[in-house]
Structure formats: C-alpha cells, structure tokens
Amino acid sequence: MNTNIASQFSGLPMKALIGAPLKAATDANAMIANAQTQFILTTCFEKSNDSGNQLVPKMVNFTLSRSVIEKDGSISTQPIKMDISIPLMTLIPINSLAIEKLKVSFNMEVKSSREIKKKEDREQKDVPSKSRRTTMQGRRQRSTHGKKQNSEPSSKPQQAHDFETELHGSLAKSAQGEQQSSAAHASYEVTLEAGQLPLPNGITTILEIFSKNMMPLPSKQ
Amino acid sequence: MSIKSKLDCPECGAPIYFESNLLLTGQSFSCSNSHCDVSIALTATDKEVVSDAFSKFEQIRNTASSQAG
C-alpha cells in the first residue's frame, strides 16, 4: 500500500513546481538589478566635462544648519547655515530593491481507506441421525453380554430403554466478524527561501567614500 | 508615493531620516543623534534633479513589486 501511495507522487512535475517560481524570481531580480544599474549610471552620475567619458557623481546641494560656539564660549542662539554638496546616489535607498523572500510550499495528501465487514450468523439444528442416536439398549446389552461370560445369567428379564437425543445449536460468528481497514497518509512539503544579496562591494565602497567626505562649507553671505 | 531614506550626518555620522515628498517641499530634517543639532534641507535649485531621481527610482520599485507579486 505504501508503495502505491509513494507512486502517487512520481507523476508530480517537481521541477516545474519548484524551479519555475525560483527562476521567475531570479529573472525578476536580474531585471531589477539591471534596471538599478542603469538608473545609477544615468541618474546618479554624469559625464565629466573635463575628461571625456569619465563619469562623476551628480551632486545636489543641501543647506545645513547647526549651532556654533561663540567667541565667549557660549552656544550661539541662532544656528549657522552652511552649504553642503551631497552625492545624489546617497539619497536613494538602493539596497531595498530586490525580492527579499521567496517561499514555495505545497502539501499533497493521499489517503486510501478500505473497510470490509463480514458478519455471519448461522443456525444449525441437528436432527437425530443414526450416528448421534444413542441407545442405552446397546450398552446394556453389551454389559450384560460381558456378565454372561463371568457369571450366571440373571434370572430377571432384560430391560431395554431407548433414549433419543436431539442437539439444537446456534453458531454465530458475529464476534469474529472480519474487519479490514487500511489507511495511508503521505504529505510532501517543499519550502524554499531566497534571501536578499548584499550590495556589491564597489557600490558599498563608493557610498562609504561619499558619506565620509561630505564637508559642510560656510554659506556665501 | 513617498520614499523613506536616510543620510549620514556630516557632523557625527548618525543617520538623518527623511521622506522624499517632504524633502522636496523644502522641509528640514534633524540628526537622529540627540547631542547633535544639525539639520539639513534641500536647496530649491536642486529640487528638480532630486524629484526626477526619486520618480525613476519609484518606477523601478514598482516594476520590482509587480514582478514579485
């Protein structure tokens, strides 16, 4: 039975069931990565005027406000405004562009059950037959016949009694009823998880350099 | 749709969290470090460049969502 249940799964297109969603997700990730790269190169970078095709980061200007310490050691009441040029790339949350998790799961359950109940009730009435008929007479005769050899024959007349017995019976097999049941259960679960890959080292390095080299400059009055 | 992002503070390095739509309106955002009183705001001259960049990024994100969905 178990072999039959296992064979139920043999026809499942596991390759398609598991591979197709994973491939779709991979293709989507690749397409997103490609679009993201194009976005970074075309939007966050621009060609340098000085050196041909060299790309330089596109900068955007921010106004930075902060308090400063006055000459007398007190903190300024009015914040000082400064200009700061920030790479446009650092403003975009690039690392959020990816399919974070992919989970493919399915359950298949095959159940097989068979139950056979057999109940037999039989009544039997035995009618008197030659073999079951017992005659006391026969025994008596045999007994008296034995006595004849050892002793004198009895003066009393022989008394013969015939007894007939009838056997009534009932055979019931209800308690021994046959019951056959079998159940098979099989489940199959496949879970796949695809995590997000970290940013390439090149982009991480560029972002770190950009972040560490942002220096505010005093605004031109 | 607004995009949430962050920028490292030029003074202390702590993150300065901002939302794209509020940034484009000229609102200033303060450093998350309570001991740092730096706040930044986008200048009006570069508003268009940043807006264009966020729009394109939004398009890519929508494409990614539709692929994943």
Side-chain angles (χ1 to χ4, degrees):
Chain A
M1 180 60 78
N2 287 335
T3 308
N4 292 334
I5 292 300
S7 67
Q8 301 279 342
F9 293 103
S10 62
L12 276 177
M14 297 297 286
K15 187 178 178 182
L17 285 171
I18 300 168
L22 189 61
K23 188 179 184 303
T26 309
D27 290 346
N29 264 342
M31 196 193 73
I32 293 163
N34 187 32
Q36 190 172 294
T37 307
Q38 290 300 318
F39 165 76
I40 291 170
L41 291 175
T42 58
T43 309
C44 300
F45 287 86
E46 59 187 355
K47 286 183 179 178
S48 171
N49 294 328
D50 299 334
S51 53
N53 291 328
Q54 192 173 358
L55 294 174
V56 293
K58 197 178 281 186
M59 307 296 283
V60 289
N61 293 319
F62 276 75
T63 302
L64 184 145
S65 301
R66 59 169 295 185
S67 301
V68 293
I69 299 174
E70 300 287 356
K71 289 179 181 177
D72 58 355
S74 62
I75 297 173
S76 63
T77 53
Q78 292 294 325
I80 301 293
K81 289 191 175 182
M82 306 172 84
D83 289 335
I84 182 169
S85 195
I86 293 172
L88 179 60
M89 189 178 167
T90 58
L91 299 177
I92 311 296
I94 295 170
N95 56 355
S96 64
L97 287 177
I99 296 171
E100 291 183 356
K101 189 179 282 187
L102 173 70
K103 189 174 184 180
V104 181
S105 64
F106 58 89
N107 271 315
M108 184 179 174
E109 195 170 282
V110 178
K111 278 191 174 179
S112 173
S113 180
R114 191 173 65 159
E115 190 170 333
I116 300 171
K117 280 189 177 179
K118 191 175 177 182
K119 186 177 180 182
E120 188 176 331
D121 197 345
R122 189 174 65 191
E123 188 169 339
Q124 183 175 342
K125 181 180 179 181
D126 285 353
V127 292
S129 62
K130 282 186 178 177
S131 59
R132 290 179 182 259
R133 185 179 292 176
T134 54
T135 58
M136 293 299 289
Q137 186 182 11
R139 289 183 192 172
R140 189 73 178 175
Q141 284 176 346
R142 207 174 294 138
S143 147
T144 50
H145 192 73
K147 279 182 179 178
K148 267 186 178 179
Q149 293 175 348
N150 298 328
S151 62
E152 290 291 321
S154 176
S155 60
K156 291 182 180 178
Q158 295 282 332
Q159 290 182 351
H161 300 281
D162 287 345
F163 295 97
E164 286 187 358
T165 58
E166 283 187 353
L167 181 64
H168 294 270
S170 175
L171 298 176
K173 291 184 74 176
S174 61
Q176 298 170 353
E178 290 181 22
Q179 181 173 345
Q180 181 182 359
S181 68
S182 63
H185 167 258
S187 67
Y188 210 99
E189 184 171 351
V190 178
T191 304
L192 294 176
E193 288 188 16
Q196 183 186 10
L197 292 174
L199 275 176
N201 286 337
I203 293 181
T204 309
T205 307
I206 290 171
L207 288 172
E208 283 181 3
I209 291 169
F210 287 164
S211 299
K212 289 176 181 175
N213 289 281
M214 291 188 296
M215 294 293 292
L217 298 171
S219 299
K220 293 175 183 176
Q221 296 294 329
Chain B
M1 190 175 176
S2 183
I3 296 171
K4 292 180 180 180
S5 187
K6 68 180 179 68
L7 186 69
D8 291 339
C9 176
E11 287 293 327
C12 68
I16 300 173
Y17 297 100
F18 65 89
E19 289 189 26
S20 62
N21 56 352
L22 296 175
L23 184 75
L24 293 171
T25 59
Q27 187 171 322
S28 62
F29 296 88
S30 300
C31 179
S32 60
N33 182 5
S34 57
H35 300 292
C36 179
D37 61 348
V38 166
S39 64
I40 59 168
L42 182 67
T43 56
T45 53
D46 287 338
K47 179 183 170 182
E48 193 175 336
V49 177
V50 176
S51 176
D52 182 55
F54 278 123
S55 298
K56 288 179 179 176
F57 179 75
E58 185 71 27
Q59 284 179 0
I60 297 172
R61 196 164 73 168
N62 288 338
T63 307
S65 300
S66 63
Q67 289 287 331

